[in-house]
Amino acid sequence: MAATLNIVGCGKLGRTLARLWTDHSVLTVQDVLNQSLESAQQAVSFVGAGQAVADYASLRPADIYMIAATDDRIVPCCEELARAGKLTAHTVVFHCSGALPSGALQAAQQAGAAVASVHPIRSFASPQQAAADFAGTYCGVEGDPQALATLNESFAAIGARMVPIHADCKVIYHAAAVFASNYLVTLLDVALQAYAKSGVPQDVALRMMEPLVRGTLDNVFNVGTVNALTGPIARGDMATADRQARAVAEWNKNHGKLYEQFVELTKALAARRHSTQT
Ligand SMILES: NC(=O)c1ccc[n+]([C@@H]2O[C@H](COP(=O)([O-])OP(=O)(O)OC[C@H]3O[C@@H](n4cnc5c(N)ncnc54)[C@H](OP(=O)(O)O)[C@@H]3O)[C@@H](O)[C@H]2O)c1
């Protein structure tokens, strides 16, 4: 018989996963608790299974609890769940935040439950769409072995690709995505500012950068960062890099510091290539 799942916080992500587990007969969605009963009822109707409840006392015992409330509510929801006496040594409690470790579920752990975090790396903005193309989604996971054994199976059954991460590095793991996505945008904006300083209007600069950026990204994903590196430092032309560093620092102090940091990091990256070639 399928394990039972109670959900505390069944919004965009919660209802997507619950619908997939229901459609694939992986887990039995049992009780759903949101801030408002009306919202929990809407979630149940999207999922096509389960029962909306109004408070923690009404939750029936379940094998697994998913706390998919917003990040700032995960700890208080977990504390309420533990206080309500719903957890045993056989219960698995997990959340799906990328920013918080499984240790945020300390109250559940103290109540004897096994805890984990499972962070699907995708957007759930449209639950309908997310459910349709969830298969193949990478999930960063960490937590107690007992919780992971259960959750690896449940997530794999709906097509997730589970990637173990070090529990004590969850914040660094989240920073990786910030570097790859958010700061990449910031960096491209710095490039636009440099083009603007040289007299190139933003719309033209964007078109000029496009083939360069797309080509570089293709290279990174095709051959990896070490082999995708081009430019003065990759060629060992430090005179050009030094001249640029001085010019950028004179133009903008902050960008100058950024450039200097990049010189050091890029020299280290180039050295990795030379060490793999020798
Ligand atoms: N959305 C994404 O693309 C995405 C991607 C990866 C990971 N995540 C993670 O998934 C988790 C949920 O995100 P989401 O985008 O699904 O959030 P969401 O759509 O805002 O849904 C949050 C749900 O939690 C409920 N809730 C809030 N406080 C509660 C409380 N005190 N008690 C019970 N229920 C409560 C809300 O109920 P009401 O409806 O009644 O307000 C709502 O249904 C977060 O940890 C987030 O970091 C999200």
Side-chain angles (χ1 to χ4, degrees):
M1 222 173 77
T4 49
L5 171 74
N6 282 351
I7 304 170
V8 177
C10 196
K12 292 185 281 294
L13 174 139
R15 54 190 78 181
T16 306
L17 294 178
R19 166 94 160 248
L20 285 164
W21 282 319
T22 301
D23 288 354
H24 291 78
S25 308
V26 177
L27 297 176
T28 301
V29 175
Q30 190 176 259
D31 295 328
V32 173
L33 173 66
N34 273 1
Q35 288 192 103
S36 77
L37 185 60
E38 194 191 350
S39 164
Q41 281 159 346
Q42 285 164 359
V44 162
S45 98
F46 178 84
V47 170
Q51 186 176 306
V53 298
D55 50 39
Y56 287 87
S58 308
L59 291 167
R60 288 166 286 172
D63 301 309
I64 306 173
Y65 282 81
M66 172 166 67
I67 302 183
T70 38
D71 282 12
D72 59 332
R73 307 287 173 84
I74 289 172
V75 171
C77 285
C78 182
E79 287 170 349
E80 288 219 47
L81 191 59
R83 245 194 320 272
K86 300 291 169 182
L87 307 174
T88 72
H90 302 290
T91 321
V92 168
V93 182
F94 75 101
H95 70 70
C96 294
S97 165
L100 295 174
S102 58
L105 303 172
Q106 194 185 10
Q109 225 165 8
Q110 282 167 349
V115 301
S117 75
V118 181
H119 173 234
I121 305 166
R122 61 155 303 131
S123 166
F124 289 85
S126 157
Q128 192 84 39
Q129 190 59 45
D133 53 25
F134 181 82
T137 296
Y138 284 90
C139 298
V141 295
E142 53 82 23
D144 297 331
Q146 183 198 333
L148 293 183
T150 302
L151 296 171
N152 279 337
E153 204 178 308
S154 310
F155 274 85
I158 53 173
R161 296 179 190 190
M162 306 297 266
V163 180
I165 57 173
H166 301 309
D168 58 347
C169 292
K170 184 73 191 272
V171 179
I172 304 286
Y173 154 87
H174 196 235
V178 171
F179 276 121
S181 176
N182 310 159
Y183 292 164
L184 180 59
V185 176
T186 309
L187 187 62
L188 294 178
D189 188 67
V190 171
L192 280 179
Q193 291 176 43
Y195 274 128
K197 173 71 181 164
S198 1
V200 183
Q202 180 161 320
D203 55 333
V204 179
L206 271 174
R207 298 284 81 79
M208 280 168 66
M209 280 163 56
E210 190 178 351
L212 192 63
V213 175
R214 288 190 193 280
T216 303
L217 288 180
D218 281 346
N219 289 341
V220 166
F221 292 115
N222 288 334
V223 298
T225 49
V226 168
N227 291 315
L229 187 66
T230 57
I233 295 176
R235 291 191 296 272
D237 176 3
M238 290 313 297
T240 299
D242 290 345
R243 207 168 48 247
Q244 277 182 10
R246 280 195 302 276
V248 174
E250 273 169 33
W251 157 51
N252 183 311
K253 218 168 103 199
N254 280 338
H255 296 356
K257 282 192 217 150
L258 183 68
Y259 192 100
E260 250 180 62
Q261 285 292 311
F262 272 115
V263 167
E264 291 312 310
L265 292 169
T266 308
K267 271 166 45 182
L269 183 56
R272 271 156 63 194
R273 175 154 69 195
H274 296 311
S275 72
T276 57
Q277 283 170 349
T278 52

